[in-house]
Amino acid sequence: MGFGRRALITGLAGALTLAALPATASATTWRYLTIKGLSRAGKVPWITAQIYDPAAKKSWPVMGRDNAVAKLPDKRTYEIYATLARAELRESPENTVVLTTFKLSKGHDKVTLSAKSGKPIDVSVGDSSVQGRIRVHVRHGAMDFTTDDVPGRLYAVPVKRSGVTFTQGSTWTGSGLLYRLGTSYSGGVPAGVTQHVTKADLAAVKVTYRSFGDGMKVNPRCRGAIWGGDDEMWLDAPATVTEYVQPGAACKRELWYESSSHPLFGNVTVGTRTYAKGEAPAETWNAAVFAPAVPGGYRTGDTLHYTPANLLSDGPGNWGFDQFTIANVKLRSGTKTLGLDAYEPDVTLGKKTATYRLDVTATRDGAEATLSDRVLVSWVFKSARTAKKTALPLTTVRFAPRGLDVRNAAAPGSTTEIPVRVVTNPGATAHAVTTLKVEASSDGAKTWQNLPVANGVVSVVNPAETGYVALRATVVDSAGNQVTETVSRAYRVAG
């Protein structure tokens, strides 16, 4: 897949060009540093390095075969973060991470980095059906030097260095399996890393990734202090995977998706989670209905702020967006349209209490191939000048259809029960709901059928032929605030 490839080095913003430098005065006397290297076998390696100035918080990336030359502005002590890669013909490739310091004192200095004292990063999961990849981060201040390789080919030269953290995270993939491990060290690069585990040592999470568009592929990721970063595991959706996760390690879970046949590209994200050793509750991602998870929006003084975020969050509430979605925002007071839109999130309002109408529309570009091709939310609320940042009194409606298959489809002629939940903007006062009206349409929103709400659940009799069901809800609360939310193609009907 084109998305989600690993970048070999990440560093400071702007340090993206080989040996690039920030603009300086023309009177600067440039100095040069040539970095040479030796692999663990004493051969000439490929060098990929970042030269970092901790005082200025600037870095310069360099690379080359046998040597790499950097152009630097000052005589001072620099930190050098490097990967020495053995790539001789008929020899197994390997990478060694090296960290050192060097004081630049001449017009052209030289330093030689050696991988000979590199210690192995030895990680295994006791499962011959999977293949692993290890990613190492060496961090100091604003510097984050990254390299990766497969187990058995990655080494690091030990060094003690105050303020430096060394992290290794590994991801192991196989048919229907995914392992996530990691360890972190402070005070420099450790004298070797050993982590051998089995399934019994880990948390086991069964995860189902549903499909909501043709030709979909999904990429589950985990972000946190010890994890390996952007995982390379792209799956044809729908898919079910058992993930074995290191217990107690914080993981911000994400799911990226794209389509090979239609313009779909985005992600759904959940907050940070940790898992206990043993079997964890099963998870489902990409489950219909895709709609706003929470309203968002706030007012500070006379300034109202609203950004159209999380408009395509999935049924369980994982926040979502799609890069090919067009969002339209309009704020009105009476007959007057105010200057708020998707690209200008702030607008100044009058200090007195007034009634406002905020209309938001999200339209997917790949509408012919996906669910929630169009989501419309219309809020009516009162607002006045605030003494501090205050959440707007907005609500959204969450639909969670039961019994849909992994394509988010119900069988033709079946009945689908849908729990309906009203969600108040975080930080806003939750007023009692006085009106909750829910409707469904199976003819492209030409006609709507009222659905009685019983104990927070509605029932839809699905059409006998294949197609889609749209949902619409209207909520009014005891303070007079209201919302109408319409989701076109909320779920499929298919055999």
Side-chain angles (χ1 to χ4, degrees):
M1 305 300 298
F3 181 80
R5 303 294 93 180
R6 286 185 171 93
L8 185 61
I9 297 179
T10 57
L12 298 177
L16 300 177
T17 307
L18 184 63
L21 287 168
T24 56
S26 58
T28 299
T29 300
W30 298 110
R31 294 168 176 84
Y32 295 86
L33 176 62
T34 297
I35 302 173
K36 300 181 70 67
L38 290 173
S39 70
R40 290 194 325 119
K43 304 290 183 65
V44 173
W46 279 98
I47 302 168
T48 305
Q50 288 253 27
I51 301 171
Y52 179 55
D53 180 351
K57 293 183 170 56
K58 296 177 181 177
S59 65
W60 297 265
V62 295
M63 63 178 64
R65 169 78 173 185
D66 180 31
N67 67 78
V69 181
K71 183 180 177 183
L72 302 169
D74 296 302
K75 290 182 179 180
R76 64 177 62 184
T77 299
Y78 293 90
E79 295 179 352
I80 303 173
Y81 299 76
T83 297
L84 306 181
R86 186 178 74 183
E88 300 293 329
L89 292 175
R90 296 179 297 277
E91 288 188 357
S92 242
E94 65 180 36
N95 284 324
T96 302
V97 179
V98 180
L99 166 60
T100 190
T101 58
F102 186 82
K103 186 173 183 179
L104 193 64
S105 59
K106 302 177 183 178
H108 194 161
D109 283 294
K110 297 180 181 179
V111 63
T112 298
L113 306 180
S114 174
K116 289 186 177 181
S117 58
K119 303 298 182 184
I121 299 174
D122 186 12
V123 184
S124 68
V125 296
D127 186 343
S128 60
S129 70
V130 296
Q131 294 183 326
R133 194 163 192 93
I134 303 171
R135 169 169 282 194
V136 164
H137 290 268
V138 186
R139 298 181 175 97
H140 184 204
M143 168 57 65
D144 184 352
F145 180 79
T146 306
T147 190
D148 61 8
D149 208 332
V150 300
R153 298 197 323 207
L154 191 56
Y155 299 79
V157 175
V159 62
K160 293 183 178 180
R161 190 64 44 81
S162 177
V164 172
T165 60
F166 177 93
T167 301
Q168 70 82 17
S170 63
T171 304
W172 305 70
T173 60
S175 179
L177 294 173
L178 175 60
Y179 291 78
R180 303 184 192 274
L181 309 178
T183 50
S184 185
Y185 304 84
S186 59
V189 179
V193 174
T194 301
Q195 188 178 25
H196 300 298
V197 300
T198 65
K199 291 179 180 178
D201 302 313
L202 306 172
V205 190
K206 186 177 182 181
V207 188
T208 297
Y209 301 107
R210 291 189 185 179
S211 169
F212 60 88
D214 297 336
M216 280 195 68
K217 289 184 178 293
V218 295
N219 172 217
R221 301 183 181 183
C222 184
R223 300 189 186 279
I226 68 170
W227 302 108
D230 296 346
D231 304 325
E232 296 282 348
M233 185 179 189
W234 283 90
L235 307 168
D236 292 319
T240 298
V241 176
T242 300
E243 297 188 17
Y244 293 95
V245 184
Q246 186 164 314
C251 167
K252 182 181 180 182
R253 295 182 63 82
E254 296 180 354
L255 181 70
W256 287 85
Y257 62 79
E258 65 181 19
S259 170
S260 59
S261 56
H262 297 284
L264 289 174
F265 177 67
N267 82 340
V268 289
T269 306
V270 72
T272 300
R273 290 178 177 172
T274 57
Y275 298 93
K277 180 179 176 181
E279 188 171 345
E283 297 180 6
T284 299
W285 290 68
N286 277 352
V289 170
F290 298 90
V294 295
Y298 58 86
R299 180 167 176 167
T300 305
D302 291 337
T303 301
L304 183 146
H305 176 94
Y306 176 81
T307 301
N310 75 81
L311 296 178
L312 294 170
S313 303
D314 68 5
N318 303 316
W319 284 35
F321 83 98
D322 192 302
Q323 187 166 316
F324 293 100
T325 295
I326 300 169
N328 291 304
V329 179
K330 182 180 291 186
L331 179 67
R332 288 179 286 177
S333 179
T335 59
K336 184 179 180 180
T337 299
L338 306 175
L340 182 72
D341 59 41
Y343 302 99
E344 186 57 50
D346 296 311
V347 63
T348 300
L349 307 177
K351 64 180 182 180
K352 295 182 178 179
T353 300
T355 300
Y356 298 93
R357 175 169 175 156
L358 176 59
D359 295 316
V360 180
T361 304
T363 306
R364 291 192 198 257
D365 200 17
E368 74 282 0
T370 187
L371 300 179
S372 294
D373 59 323
R374 187 174 174 85
V375 178
L376 301 90
V377 187
S378 180
W379 288 286
V380 177
F381 61 98
K382 291 182 179 180
S383 181
R385 174 182 288 176
T386 63
K388 59 181 180 179
K389 180 178 177 180
T390 304
L392 297 177
L394 310 180
T395 57
T396 52
V397 182
R398 302 294 298 157
F399 303 101
R402 296 170 179 163
L404 303 184
D405 65 17
V406 292
R407 299 168 300 157
N408 285 305
S414 65
T415 297
T416 298
E417 292 186 341
I418 306 176
V420 180
R421 184 165 56 97
V422 178
V423 178
T424 301
N425 199 13
T429 300
H431 299 286
V433 173
T434 57
T435 300
L436 174 57
K437 180 181 179 181
V438 182
E439 301 165 281
S441 173
S442 58
D443 59 3
K446 295 176 183 177
T447 60
W448 292 90
Q449 176 189 2
N450 186 55
L451 305 174
V453 182
N455 297 318
V457 178
V458 298
S459 296
V460 178
V461 178
N462 297 305
E465 64 278 357
T466 60
Y468 298 89
V469 171
L471 295 171
R472 182 167 69 188
T474 300
V475 176
V476 181
D477 68 23
S478 58
N481 304 304
Q482 64 184 58
V483 61
T484 298
E485 183 175 319
T486 306
V487 183
S488 175
R489 294 188 176 189
Y491 64 90
R492 281 189 175 94
V493 176

